[in-house]
Amino acid sequence: MFYRIEYNELTNVVTATWYGTATQQDLKNAVVAGLGLHESTHCAYRLNDNTDFSSPWADSVAWITKEWLPRAYAAGIRYLAHVARPGSFGELAGETILQGKIGSQIEVALFTDKAKALGWLLDKQQEQKSILKVRS
């Protein structure tokens, strides 16, 4: 197993956890399949945990931008916390995502600590609640 995705109803966060290695096709299949969870939950908050993943992501960023991003946005994803070990392929992919088109449509933040990434997503939820209260 190289990928697990789950929705936590209490935190309202979808967490995608990556393990070991995977082929480029495995990566594509996994991220497309994971969108189904966002579509069914209408969850705007995603945590990508690449801490234990060692496959190169950078080669997939162009495909993710072209194919995954429109579907992710349509599924409601607005905030993406990307967690990776410093100096890893996951960190490089996160930096590429942040600087590219994904970072212009979905707010992306990079972390080396999963708890801090989750905290950022929870803070974003509070910000959104405050904005909605002001508008009502």
Side-chain angles (χ1 to χ4, degrees):
M1 178 172 83
F2 64 91
Y3 177 74
R4 185 182 76 217
I5 189 160
E6 58 192 347
Y7 173 67
N8 184 319
E9 201 171 323
L10 295 175
T11 61
N12 190 33
V13 172
V14 170
T15 301
T17 308
W18 298 84
Y19 305 93
T21 61
T23 67
Q24 294 298 314
Q25 191 59 50
D26 288 340
L27 291 170
K28 291 175 182 179
N29 292 344
V31 295
V32 168
L35 286 176
L37 189 54
H38 283 280
E39 291 166 348
S40 66
T41 61
H42 305 288
C43 182
Y45 307 92
R46 182 181 181 104
L47 192 154
N48 268 349
D49 183 0
N50 284 255
T51 306
D52 295 319
F53 193 59
S54 56
S55 287
W57 268 96
D59 294 343
S60 298
V61 172
W63 177 88
I64 289 170
T65 300
K66 183 179 177 189
E67 302 292 330
W68 179 82
L69 176 59
R71 291 185 61 189
Y73 195 82
I77 299 173
R78 297 298 181 268
Y79 303 94
L80 172 64
H82 186 85
V83 183
R85 288 185 321 274
S88 68
F89 286 123
E91 183 182 52
L92 176 62
E95 290 170 358
T96 305
I97 287 168
L98 185 62
Q99 295 167 5
K101 188 176 179 185
I102 294 170
S104 69
Q105 293 188 6
I106 295 174
E107 190 171 340
V108 178
L110 307 180
F111 300 90
T112 56
D113 180 272
K114 187 175 177 180
K116 288 181 182 178
L118 179 59
W120 179 78
L121 290 169
L122 297 176
D123 287 347
K124 291 297 174 183
Q125 290 178 20
Q126 290 304 313
E127 286 176 19
Q128 290 304 306
K129 287 178 185 175
S130 296
I131 291 169
L132 291 176
K133 282 183 183 179
V134 169
R135 291 182 181 165
S136 355

